[in-house]
Amino acid sequence: MGVIIYLLILGIAVYVFLGLLTSGATQQCLDIDECNTDGVCGKRGICQNLIGSYWCECPAGFTNFGKNQNKCVELNCDQYETQPGQTLPGFDSFLSLLRNNCLVLNNSTLSGPTRPLPTGDVLLTLLVNTTDVLQLDLQSNGHRSSSEVTKLLKTIEISIRLIAPLLTENVTRIETNHTDVEILVRRDKTPPKGPVSLTNENTQLDTTWETVIGDYQNYQGFAFVVLLSYKNLDSLKDTTSRQNLQLMSSALTVSVSNSNTTNLPQLINLTFNHLQSSDVDPTCVYWSDENGPGVWSELGCTSVMSNSNQTVCSCSHLSTFALLKGIHQKKGTGQLSLVMWGGVFVALTCVVLSLITTLWCRFVSRKRRGGNRLKQDVQLHRK
Ligand SMILES: *[C@@H]1O[C@H](CO)[C@@H](O)[C@H](O)[C@H]1NC(C)=O
Ligand SMILES: *[C@@H]1O[C@H](CO)[C@@H](O)[C@H](O)[C@H]1NC(C)=O
Ligand SMILES: *[C@@H]1O[C@H](CO)[C@@H](O)[C@H](O)[C@H]1NC(C)=O
Ligand SMILES: *[C@@H]1O[C@H](CO)[C@@H](O)[C@H](O)[C@H]1NC(C)=O
Ligand SMILES: *[C@@H]1O[C@H](CO)[C@@H](O)[C@H](O)[C@H]1NC(C)=O
Ligand SMILES: *[C@@H]1O[C@H](CO)[C@@H](O)[C@H](O)[C@H]1NC(C)=O
Ligand SMILES: *[C@@H]1O[C@H](CO)[C@@H](O)[C@H](O)[C@H]1NC(C)=O
Ligand SMILES: *[C@@H]1O[C@H](CO)[C@@H](O)[C@H](O)[C@H]1NC(C)=O
């Protein structure tokens, strides 16, 4: 009996305590208006509250890629415009397809898309097919210019930005004879954290979700990381080099949802398997188009480990990477001549300076000898 009374009192106490916790009054469930949270649909998205849920309406020019609870982001379909005068095969049709899909997203009206959304998988298959065709072309067409290679790599990067958010699976992988692409997508409410790595036959990428996402303020409700290997881009050379630069690994493009990747706070690591085991020290490089049509550059990438089969590169930015044999003697001609003339200037300055110094020393020491004698005389005199 005493036990029952004790339990009863305990029960009442807990009830009152819980009641106090929920501010006493409300017993029924309340709908949390997610729309009261600032920026839940992005800067321009319009939040619609539903009982127990919400969705984001994106105005024209913005999209959340058909994922109703993702933030609306601005689209730029003009970057998929074809340019006159380009001769890469299959390129124009791929670009105009991307543009059409972008326009569908751009124009999806407030009440939802009128046309069915493009599917990421179909677009990705086309991207891989186009990459295959282009690699075959570059192999058989040694005369392709650096700027064409730059255009190809740029287009691959911008197309990934459109395709990855449209993918439905967490992991998507396509491999052909020439291309190997793997895409990891996360759609967590809060930004994922911790290490993430992608591996294929020839390479491994190690980074963190923090790097993939960048500024947490800009988290769109999804994050993706892409590793795309070109198995046959051994002919990817910059035309400014006089000699052929030989690739010691497959080239690969790394892309992530964060678009500010020119100066990463945390280094990414790339492990390359050498195409052939080799004792030559390879150089970690990326394809740089900052000063001209495009060259392999070492800037921001260092080799942290290397044996005859593998090399690990640490890089502070994202782009297209590879291992090169003997880049040191074969820099861009402009750079080389600048360095050379700098050296000549320094050498000449040194010669002139040493001549002046020698003459000056002779002059001074002659004077000193005279001076010293005087001093000695004085000291002698004192003694
Ligand atoms: C996308 O939509 C916006 C808003 O309607 C419009 O101003 C813009 O021209 C569209 N973009 C393209 C490439 O049509
Ligand atoms: C965009 O949508 C409007 C009305 O929904 C339509 O008149 C216009 O043709 C569309 N534009 C494109 C480029 O699809
Ligand atoms: C790419 O696709 C086209 C048409 O869909 C096909 O004819 C061609 O063989 C494909 N190329 C490669 C390298 O798979
Ligand atoms: C995809 O990842 C999420 C976590 O981000 C997980 O909850 C879900 O089960 C995964 N889906 C599949 C098909 O693996
Ligand atoms: C891929 O390579 C294999 C072996 O070299 C060949 O038999 C096959 O036809 C190739 N496939 C394509 C699509 O080129
Ligand atoms: C990359 O390697 C360096 C040194 O080997 C290590 O300090 C760093 O944590 C690695 N980064 C990632 C993302 O694994
Ligand atoms: C890009 O990232 C760097 C390093 O994290 C940061 O300092 C810079 O402010 C960022 N730039 C923009 C435009 O967000
Ligand atoms: C390189 O690979 C060969 C063959 O797979 C193996 O015998 C050798 O031990 C490897 N070398 C190193 C340094 O890992």
Side-chain angles (χ1 to χ4, degrees), residues 103 107 109 115:
L103 287 177
N107 211 28
T109 50
R115 280 178 275 178

Side-chain angles (χ1 to χ4, degrees), residues 7 11 27 35 38 52 73 76-77 82 84 87 116 126 137 153 181 186 214 222 248-249 272 282 296 308 349 361 373:
L7 280 180
Q27 303 289 305
C35 296
D38 241 7
V73 292
N76 171 13
C77 298
T82 54
T87 54
L126 282 165
D137 171 79
L153 297 178
V181 59
R186 289 279 289 265
F222 69 89
M248 284 180 66
S249 69
F272 289 97
W296 287 116
S308 53
T349 313
C361 283
R373 211 177 291 145

Side-chain angles (χ1 to χ4, degrees), residues 177-203:
N177 279 359
H178 308 288
T179 311
D180 190 345
V181 59
E182 188 168 3
I183 304 185
L184 221 61
V185 184
R186 289 279 289 265
R187 299 185 187 285
D188 305 358
K189 271 262 161 302
T190 53
K193 291 187 165 106
V196 54
S197 82
L198 285 179
T199 314
N200 64 32
E201 199 183 320
N202 307 306
T203 9

